[in-house]
Amino acid sequence: MNRLDGKVAIITGASQGMGASHARKFVAEGAKVIMTDINEEGGLKIAKDLGENALFVKHDVTQVQDWKKVVEEGEEKFGPINVLVNNAGILGPLSKTEELKDETYLKICSINQHAVFYGMKYTLPSMLKAGIGSIVNISSIAGIVAIYGYPNLAYMASKFAVRGMTKATAVEYADKNIRANSVHPGFIKTPMMAEATDEEGGDATSIIPLGRLAQSEEVSNLVIFLASDESSYMTGTEQIIDGGMSVR
């Protein structure tokens, strides 16, 4: 408990799945959390359950003005932001490259990649005011290796980009006491994963050495570590949490 005392965190995509799990665990560990999502109903319900240390702001992560609003309202409520968890993302349809629609590619990259840039750009000034910061960008195991049998060039492109953007930011802001690390989950039991498999993961479990999908809370434990001062000497890293998929 209290591993995140003094932390003020923005967590995007916080109305369900991993984002909701992160928000709950952050508040439990003492953080003040600005939860954001396009899903207002779900986000407001979770924020209400979490009490005075959670604020929900409706947020389209692809819109610059929304990012400015999130930072402004978060600072007004809790003070300067010192943790950013870029969690929002979409999977999109599984399709081979020749079948991938142009507009689908652009939409996936807009949400998974461009929004991460906006998040860092518009939160960094607040972190500079705070004098400390930890950026945790949620990428994917698809930002490390290609996953055989799950074709999605746009998703992979966006998640590889997040990996590189994280490293660039880590180098640029290390002398300002601001760290940036990426997290690369494998198959997690979330609504987004259900788009690609059945509820229990279907054939996906056959390529996971541990033989099961992860629970969102298992990823949240890693995110908490990276957000906390326990990881104070870690920046520019890529943290893989995939049940062993990438070692095959």
Side-chain angles (χ1 to χ4, degrees):
M1 300 294 289
N2 303 319
R3 296 165 69 195
L4 298 179
D5 275 357
K7 302 301 184 186
V8 178
I10 293 172
I11 302 176
T12 66
S15 289
Q16 65 178 5
M18 287 196 300
S21 172
H22 302 338
R24 291 189 182 99
K25 280 186 165 283
F26 267 56
V27 170
E29 290 289 350
K32 293 176 170 59
V33 177
I34 303 101
M35 302 170 52
T36 88
D37 204 295
I38 198 78
N39 175 1
E40 186 174 22
E41 182 180 357
L44 285 171
K45 183 180 184 304
I46 295 170
K48 182 179 180 181
D49 291 343
L50 292 177
E52 63 182 4
N53 288 330
L55 168 71
F56 177 78
V57 181
K58 187 176 181 181
H59 179 202
D60 180 343
V61 293
T62 68
Q63 299 301 308
V64 168
Q65 287 305 316
D66 277 16
W67 271 107
K68 292 179 178 179
K69 179 184 71 171
V70 167
V71 173
E72 180 181 346
E73 293 187 17
E75 285 188 326
E76 183 177 343
K77 177 77 172 178
F78 296 131
I81 314 300
N82 51 30
V83 175
L84 169 64
V85 182
N86 273 313
N87 170 79
I90 62 171
L91 178 62
L94 298 177
S95 61
K96 292 186 177 180
T97 301
E98 78 233 38
E99 300 162 352
L100 182 62
K101 294 180 180 179
D102 297 358
E103 57 268 29
T104 300
Y105 175 87
L106 293 173
K107 179 181 179 180
I108 291 172
C109 287
S110 179
I111 295 171
N112 291 359
Q113 175 186 346
H114 303 163
V116 170
F117 162 65
Y118 295 146
M120 293 192 293
K121 177 175 180 176
Y122 292 104
T123 305
L124 277 163
S126 194
M127 291 184 173
L128 290 168
K129 282 191 288 186
I132 189 171
S134 176
I135 298 168
V136 184
N137 291 328
I138 309 299
S139 178
S140 166
I141 194 59
I144 301 288
V145 296
I147 303 172
Y148 183 75
Y150 292 85
N152 192 326
L153 179 143
Y155 185 75
M156 287 190 63
S158 66
K159 293 304 186 178
F160 264 86
V162 168
R163 178 182 174 192
M165 291 158 64
T166 302
K167 292 181 182 297
T169 303
V171 171
E172 289 174 12
Y173 289 90
D175 64 345
K176 302 298 183 183
N177 202 27
I178 295 173
R179 302 180 294 110
N181 295 282
S182 58
V183 173
H184 299 262
F187 290 169
I188 315 300
K189 197 171 182 179
T190 65
M192 189 172 81
M193 186 61 202
E195 295 178 22
T197 69
D198 64 31
E199 186 177 348
E200 297 304 321
D203 291 340
T205 57
S206 67
I207 63 172
I208 304 172
L210 287 183
R212 64 175 177 86
L213 272 64
Q215 298 297 319
S216 294
E217 291 77 11
E218 293 176 287
V219 182
S220 297
N221 291 334
L222 174 57
V223 174
I224 285 171
F225 171 67
L226 293 173
S228 77
D229 295 338
E230 296 167 15
S231 58
S232 57
Y233 200 59
M234 293 175 62
T235 195
T237 71
E238 48 207 29
Q239 298 298 308
I240 298 172
I241 178 165
D242 69 348
M245 284 174 59
S246 58
V247 302
R248 280 187 177 273

